[in-house]
């Protein structure tokens, strides 16, 4: 019986120590967040209440949010790179056509030069129109894909319990969310610099 009471006392003591450690981490993170917020615009500072910062500090304690944000950043960078490369391919079509035209001109007989140049001009104009049309469609596709990425990120961070994140297209809310992400990234950097990464 005495042994059971001792075990229970040790467990209670360990729980109290864990709670105290977690509170200490919370206050430390909250203090750092409050310091970082001072670098934001005054309108953003006003929108980031003590409760929001306190809840953000709580969400950051175990490091999971840092990992989620890092994963989302990697996905975003890969998506942006892929979209950029798709866009770049359109522009290489014109360069390839110009190279082909130059080679054709070099091997062309003088008496056919005017006919060839006229045909090449028509071909170049048709390609430029095609590239312009495809570029417009691709740009629309890119905007839609990036909008979807934002929604995916908002949804992921909301499900992870990060305060301030929910699906929205409101520009003010998006700005606030971007500022929250900036704070999270700066906090991650501070945590890594202190060797807790």
């Amino acid at each position: 019986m005495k042994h059971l009471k001792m075990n229970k006392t040790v467990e209670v003591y360990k729980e109290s120590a864990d709670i105290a450690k977690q509170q200490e981490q919370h206050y430390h993170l909250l203090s750092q967040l409050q310091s970082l917020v001072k670098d934001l615009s005054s309108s953003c500072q006003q929108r980031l209440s003590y409760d929001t910062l306190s809840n953000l500090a709580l969400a950051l304690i175990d490091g999971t949010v840092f990992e989620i944000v890092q994963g989302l950043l990697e996905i975003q960078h890969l998506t942006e790179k892929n979209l950029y490369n798709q866009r770049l391919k359109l522009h290489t079509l014109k360069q390839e056509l110009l190279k082909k035209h130059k080679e054709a001109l070099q091997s062309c007989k003088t008496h056919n030069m005017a006919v060839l140049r006229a045909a090449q001009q028509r071909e170049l104009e048709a390609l430029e129109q095609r590239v312009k049309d495809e570029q417009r469609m691709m740009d629309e596709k890119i905007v839609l894909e990036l909008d979807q990425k934002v929604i995916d990120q908002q949804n992921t961070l909301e499900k992870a319990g990060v305060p301030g994140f929910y699906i929205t297209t409101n520009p003010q809310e998006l700005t606030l969310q971007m500022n929250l992400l900036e704070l999270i990234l700066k906090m991650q950097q501070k945590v890594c610099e202190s060797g807790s990464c």
Side-chain angles (χ1 to χ4, degrees):
M1 189 70 149
K2 190 175 185 182
H3 183 67
L4 282 175
K5 274 190 173 183
M6 283 285 286
N7 283 345
K8 202 117 175 106
T9 303
V10 169
E11 284 178 31
V12 169
Y13 177 76
K14 283 182 182 178
E15 278 182 30
S16 296
D18 288 345
I19 290 170
K21 183 180 179 192
Q22 192 172 19
Q23 282 179 333
E24 185 181 321
Q25 286 177 308
H26 174 251
Y27 291 130
H28 177 69
L29 289 170
L30 178 58
S31 171
Q32 288 186 322
L33 282 169
Q34 288 171 322
S35 174
L36 288 172
V37 165
K38 293 174 185 171
D39 295 336
L40 300 175
S41 69
S42 60
S43 63
C44 188
Q45 287 180 34
Q46 292 170 356
R47 299 203 51 222
L48 289 172
S49 68
Y50 175 86
D51 286 344
T52 301
L53 292 175
S54 179
N55 289 334
L56 180 57
L58 283 172
L60 296 176
I61 286 177
D62 72 354
T64 305
V65 171
F66 295 139
E67 291 173 21
I68 291 169
V69 168
Q70 209 55 50
L72 291 173
L73 270 176
E74 289 171 16
I75 291 168
Q76 180 177 332
H77 289 150
L78 286 173
T79 301
E80 289 171 354
K81 185 177 180 182
N82 183 32
L83 293 172
Y84 175 77
N85 286 336
Q86 287 177 24
R87 201 169 194 274
L88 207 55
K89 281 181 188 175
L90 279 178
H91 294 285
T92 59
L93 289 174
K94 184 177 177 181
Q95 299 306 319
E96 290 169 1
L97 182 63
L98 290 173
K99 183 180 176 188
K100 185 179 109 179
H101 284 182
K102 185 178 178 183
E103 290 169 359
L105 283 170
Q106 288 173 346
S107 64
C108 182
K109 305 254 188 268
T110 309
H111 65 277
N112 292 330
M113 194 68 74
V115 174
L116 180 62
R117 284 201 173 153
Q120 286 181 340
Q121 185 61 36
R122 285 191 304 275
E123 189 179 15
L124 182 60
E125 288 170 3
L127 178 71
E128 285 175 340
Q129 185 59 48
R130 184 181 133 216
V131 167
K132 182 179 172 186
D133 293 342
E134 287 186 30
Q135 184 73 60
R136 185 184 41 76
M137 289 187 307
M138 185 174 285
D139 288 347
E140 290 171 6
K141 178 186 168 221
I142 287 171
V143 167
L144 290 174
E145 277 194 51
L146 292 175
D147 285 348
Q148 185 59 50
K149 280 288 169 237
V150 169
I151 290 169
D152 294 346
Q153 291 171 346
Q154 290 170 330
N155 189 37
T156 300
L157 292 167
E158 180 182 25
K159 286 180 179 177
V162 181
F165 284 91
Y166 57 93
I167 295 173
T168 182
T169 56
N170 178 319
Q172 289 177 317
E173 295 302 311
L174 288 170
T175 299
L176 182 68
Q177 289 179 351
M178 286 190 291
N179 284 316
L180 285 167
L181 275 175
E182 187 180 326
L183 288 174
I184 291 168
L185 291 170
K186 285 181 178 178
M187 287 300 297
Q188 182 180 23
Q189 187 176 359
K190 283 182 175 278
V191 168
C192 286
E193 286 171 358
S194 71
S196 303
C197 201

